[in-house]
Amino acid sequence: MAEELFIEDSATKAERYKSLIPQIEALVTGETDLVANLANIASALKFGMGYFWVGFYIVKNDELVLGPFQGPIACTRIAKGRGVCGTTWAEGKTLVVQNVDEFPGHIACSSDSKSEIVLPAFKNSEVALILDVDSDQLNDFDDVDRECLEGLMRIIENLL
């Protein structure tokens, strides 16, 4: 297991992902514990990409329950259809929110969060967990984030 990430400081966002995703895949290869893998993935994304908050919510008993994360404390439970995370779960698709204050029903776990991307992972055609990535900057997520993080979600699905 690697003990540090290798990301070029001067790299573009796309180059950072291109370097980071294979390192994450190597990090989780051979480890069977889901919580350990999600914890390392959250840390790698937070520190490799410089996000404000990165975490997972796991579907348990018909609600999203906070899983491994990196960043300030977070909401512990989220109902289906509530906020960006609950909406991603209900709709089963990635949501990119450029200004969280403009998202109907946004749950403000931290007032420092300004934009967000939330992605689902599926097991047996059902959403099993979601990845929530927050930025403290408006308009911080784009198609590069969507494409690269959706690729990461396919890796995560193989862990479920």
Side-chain angles (χ1 to χ4, degrees), residues 115-140:
S115 60
E116 185 171 12
I117 184 169
V118 181
L119 307 97
F122 297 87
K123 181 177 182 177
N124 301 323
S125 301
E126 298 287 330
V127 176
L129 62 80
I130 61 129
L131 168 61
D132 181 14
V133 181
D134 292 13
S135 173
D136 58 1
Q137 304 295 314
L138 293 170
N139 305 307
D140 210 20

Tab-separated table of all heavy atoms in Angstrom, residues 115-140:
chain	number	residue	atom	x	y	z
A	115	SER	N	-20.215	25.043	-3.708
A	115	SER	CA	-20.632	24.237	-4.858
A	115	SER	C	-20.382	22.772	-4.529
A	115	SER	O	-19.651	22.445	-3.594
A	115	SER	CB	-19.907	24.668	-6.135
A	115	SER	OG	-18.512	24.543	-6.016
A	116	GLU	N	-21.003	21.890	-5.328
A	116	GLU	CA	-21.027	20.484	-4.925
A	116	GLU	C	-21.232	19.594	-6.146
A	116	GLU	O	-21.922	19.959	-7.090
A	116	GLU	CB	-22.191	20.319	-3.949
A	116	GLU	CG	-22.370	19.003	-3.300
A	116	GLU	CD	-23.434	19.061	-2.191
A	116	GLU	OE1	-24.176	20.064	-2.079
A	116	GLU	OE2	-23.523	18.078	-1.450
A	117	ILE	N	-20.626	18.410	-6.094
A	117	ILE	CA	-20.914	17.352	-7.057
A	117	ILE	C	-21.208	16.096	-6.246
A	117	ILE	O	-20.487	15.795	-5.278
A	117	ILE	CB	-19.768	17.137	-8.075
A	117	ILE	CG1	-20.166	16.072	-9.122
A	117	ILE	CG2	-18.455	16.804	-7.397
A	117	ILE	CD1	-19.211	15.983	-10.302
A	118	VAL	N	-22.296	15.411	-6.603
A	118	VAL	CA	-22.718	14.215	-5.874
A	118	VAL	C	-22.967	13.114	-6.892
A	118	VAL	O	-23.666	13.332	-7.888
A	118	VAL	CB	-23.975	14.492	-5.027
A	118	VAL	CG1	-24.380	13.249	-4.253
A	118	VAL	CG2	-23.735	15.653	-4.074
A	119	LEU	N	-22.401	11.935	-6.623
A	119	LEU	CA	-22.451	10.834	-7.582
A	119	LEU	C	-22.921	9.548	-6.917
A	119	LEU	O	-22.490	9.237	-5.799
A	119	LEU	CB	-21.065	10.592	-8.177
A	119	LEU	CG	-20.362	11.800	-8.779
A	119	LEU	CD1	-19.392	12.414	-7.811
A	119	LEU	CD2	-19.680	11.444	-10.066
A	120	PRO	N	-23.763	8.771	-7.604
A	120	PRO	CA	-24.217	7.500	-7.041
A	120	PRO	C	-23.320	6.326	-7.447
A	120	PRO	O	-22.694	6.343	-8.507
A	120	PRO	CB	-25.604	7.333	-7.670
A	120	PRO	CG	-25.449	7.969	-9.028
A	120	PRO	CD	-24.482	9.126	-8.815
A	121	ALA	N	-23.275	5.307	-6.596
A	121	ALA	CA	-22.675	4.011	-6.932
A	121	ALA	C	-23.777	2.971	-6.774
A	121	ALA	O	-24.575	3.029	-5.833
A	121	ALA	CB	-21.505	3.688	-6.007
A	122	PHE	N	-23.813	2.043	-7.702
A	122	PHE	CA	-24.889	1.062	-7.763
A	122	PHE	C	-24.417	-0.343	-7.418
A	122	PHE	O	-23.305	-0.733	-7.739
A	122	PHE	CB	-25.488	1.028	-9.180
A	122	PHE	CG	-26.114	2.323	-9.594
A	122	PHE	CD1	-25.356	3.323	-10.194
A	122	PHE	CD2	-27.461	2.548	-9.384
A	122	PHE	CE1	-25.934	4.529	-10.572
A	122	PHE	CE2	-28.049	3.743	-9.754
A	122	PHE	CZ	-27.278	4.740	-10.358
A	123	LYS	N	-25.312	-1.080	-6.766
A	123	LYS	CA	-25.137	-2.507	-6.531
A	123	LYS	C	-26.481	-3.148	-6.839
A	123	LYS	O	-27.511	-2.706	-6.315
A	123	LYS	CB	-24.733	-2.785	-5.083
A	123	LYS	CG	-24.509	-4.262	-4.811
A	123	LYS	CD	-24.041	-4.500	-3.391
A	123	LYS	CE	-23.794	-5.981	-3.195
A	123	LYS	NZ	-23.282	-6.258	-1.858
A	124	ASN	N	-26.478	-4.155	-7.706
A	124	ASN	CA	-27.711	-4.818	-8.126
A	124	ASN	C	-28.740	-3.807	-8.642
A	124	ASN	O	-29.921	-3.869	-8.297
A	124	ASN	CB	-28.302	-5.651	-6.985
A	124	ASN	CG	-27.338	-6.711	-6.495
A	124	ASN	OD1	-26.604	-7.305	-7.278
A	124	ASN	ND2	-27.325	-6.938	-5.200
A	125	SER	N	-28.276	-2.859	-9.442
A	125	SER	CA	-29.108	-1.837	-10.084
A	125	SER	C	-29.771	-0.865	-9.112
A	125	SER	O	-30.669	-0.125	-9.495
A	125	SER	CB	-30.181	-2.490	-10.970
A	125	SER	OG	-29.572	-3.288	-11.958
A	126	GLU	N	-29.353	-0.855	-7.870
A	126	GLU	CA	-29.882	0.079	-6.868
A	126	GLU	C	-28.742	0.951	-6.349
A	126	GLU	O	-27.607	0.485	-6.223
A	126	GLU	CB	-30.488	-0.689	-5.681
A	126	GLU	CG	-31.673	-1.573	-6.026
A	126	GLU	CD	-32.934	-0.776	-6.325
A	126	GLU	OE1	-33.092	0.318	-5.754
A	126	GLU	OE2	-33.747	-1.248	-7.132
A	127	VAL	N	-29.056	2.210	-6.019
A	127	VAL	CA	-28.033	3.067	-5.421
A	127	VAL	C	-27.670	2.495	-4.053
A	127	VAL	O	-28.536	2.292	-3.205
A	127	VAL	CB	-28.527	4.523	-5.288
A	127	VAL	CG1	-27.484	5.377	-4.560
A	127	VAL	CG2	-28.842	5.123	-6.660
A	128	ALA	N	-26.380	2.216	-3.867
A	128	ALA	CA	-25.893	1.638	-2.615
A	128	ALA	C	-25.199	2.687	-1.745
A	128	ALA	O	-25.212	2.588	-0.524
A	128	ALA	CB	-24.934	0.491	-2.903
A	129	LEU	N	-24.594	3.659	-2.392
A	129	LEU	CA	-23.930	4.742	-1.670
A	129	LEU	C	-23.752	5.909	-2.622
A	129	LEU	O	-23.908	5.765	-3.823
A	129	LEU	CB	-22.596	4.298	-1.062
A	129	LEU	CG	-21.461	3.818	-1.984
A	129	LEU	CD1	-20.706	4.978	-2.611
A	129	LEU	CD2	-20.493	2.969	-1.180
A	130	ILE	N	-23.443	7.049	-2.047
A	130	ILE	CA	-23.141	8.207	-2.872
A	130	ILE	C	-21.841	8.837	-2.396
A	130	ILE	O	-21.455	8.722	-1.229
A	130	ILE	CB	-24.291	9.245	-2.872
A	130	ILE	CG1	-24.566	9.785	-1.478
A	130	ILE	CG2	-25.552	8.691	-3.465
A	130	ILE	CD1	-24.592	11.260	-1.492
A	131	LEU	N	-21.165	9.484	-3.345
A	131	LEU	CA	-19.972	10.274	-3.061
A	131	LEU	C	-20.382	11.731	-3.132
A	131	LEU	O	-20.979	12.168	-4.118
A	131	LEU	CB	-18.890	9.992	-4.102
A	131	LEU	CG	-17.675	10.944	-4.121
A	131	LEU	CD1	-16.920	10.919	-2.795
A	131	LEU	CD2	-16.761	10.586	-5.277
A	132	ASP	N	-20.078	12.473	-2.092
A	132	ASP	CA	-20.401	13.892	-2.001
A	132	ASP	C	-19.083	14.665	-1.932
A	132	ASP	O	-18.256	14.405	-1.060
A	132	ASP	CB	-21.244	14.144	-0.751
A	132	ASP	CG	-21.661	15.585	-0.562
A	132	ASP	OD1	-21.541	16.388	-1.506
A	132	ASP	OD2	-22.109	15.914	0.546
A	133	VAL	N	-18.891	15.586	-2.875
A	133	VAL	CA	-17.682	16.403	-2.907
A	133	VAL	C	-18.109	17.864	-2.894
A	133	VAL	O	-18.884	18.291	-3.740
A	133	VAL	CB	-16.828	16.107	-4.156
A	133	VAL	CG1	-15.559	16.946	-4.142
A	133	VAL	CG2	-16.499	14.627	-4.263
A	134	ASP	N	-17.614	18.604	-1.922
A	134	ASP	CA	-17.961	20.020	-1.772
A	134	ASP	C	-16.737	20.896	-1.994
A	134	ASP	O	-15.617	20.516	-1.646
A	134	ASP	CB	-18.469	20.306	-0.353
A	134	ASP	CG	-19.804	19.662	-0.050
A	134	ASP	OD1	-20.248	18.798	-0.821
A	134	ASP	OD2	-20.399	20.028	0.967
A	135	SER	N	-17.000	22.087	-2.513
A	135	SER	CA	-15.973	23.106	-2.666
A	135	SER	C	-16.390	24.352	-1.893
A	135	SER	O	-17.581	24.631	-1.760
A	135	SER	CB	-15.788	23.461	-4.148
A	135	SER	OG	-14.913	24.568	-4.277
A	136	ASP	N	-15.419	25.090	-1.440
A	136	ASP	CA	-15.714	26.366	-0.794
A	136	ASP	C	-15.688	27.514	-1.808
A	136	ASP	O	-15.679	28.676	-1.433
A	136	ASP	CB	-14.763	26.629	0.379
A	136	ASP	CG	-13.308	26.634	-0.015
A	136	ASP	OD1	-12.978	26.451	-1.216
A	136	ASP	OD2	-12.459	26.816	0.878
A	137	GLN	N	-15.699	27.151	-3.093
A	137	GLN	CA	-15.753	28.120	-4.182
A	137	GLN	C	-17.005	27.882	-5.025
A	137	GLN	O	-17.404	26.731	-5.228
A	137	GLN	CB	-14.525	27.975	-5.102
A	137	GLN	CG	-13.198	28.096	-4.386
A	137	GLN	CD	-12.978	29.467	-3.796
A	137	GLN	OE1	-13.203	30.479	-4.460
A	137	GLN	NE2	-12.550	29.524	-2.544
A	138	LEU	N	-17.613	28.931	-5.517
A	138	LEU	CA	-18.736	28.798	-6.447
A	138	LEU	C	-18.235	28.264	-7.785
A	138	LEU	O	-17.074	28.482	-8.153
A	138	LEU	CB	-19.418	30.154	-6.671
A	138	LEU	CG	-20.146	30.758	-5.471
A	138	LEU	CD1	-20.558	32.194	-5.788
A	138	LEU	CD2	-21.358	29.926	-5.113
A	139	ASN	N	-19.105	27.550	-8.500
A	139	ASN	CA	-18.814	27.101	-9.872
A	139	ASN	C	-17.505	26.321	-9.983
A	139	ASN	O	-16.764	26.497	-10.947
A	139	ASN	CB	-18.775	28.302	-10.829
A	139	ASN	CG	-20.039	29.115	-10.773
A	139	ASN	OD1	-21.130	28.585	-10.928
A	139	ASN	ND2	-19.899	30.403	-10.506
A	140	ASP	N	-17.229	25.459	-9.033
A	140	ASP	CA	-15.930	24.787	-8.992
A	140	ASP	C	-15.912	23.440	-9.707
A	140	ASP	O	-14.846	22.877	-9.905
A	140	ASP	CB	-15.485	24.608	-7.534
A	140	ASP	CG	-13.973	24.622	-7.395
A	140	ASP	OD1	-13.278	25.125	-8.300
A	140	ASP	OD2	-13.486	24.131	-6.363
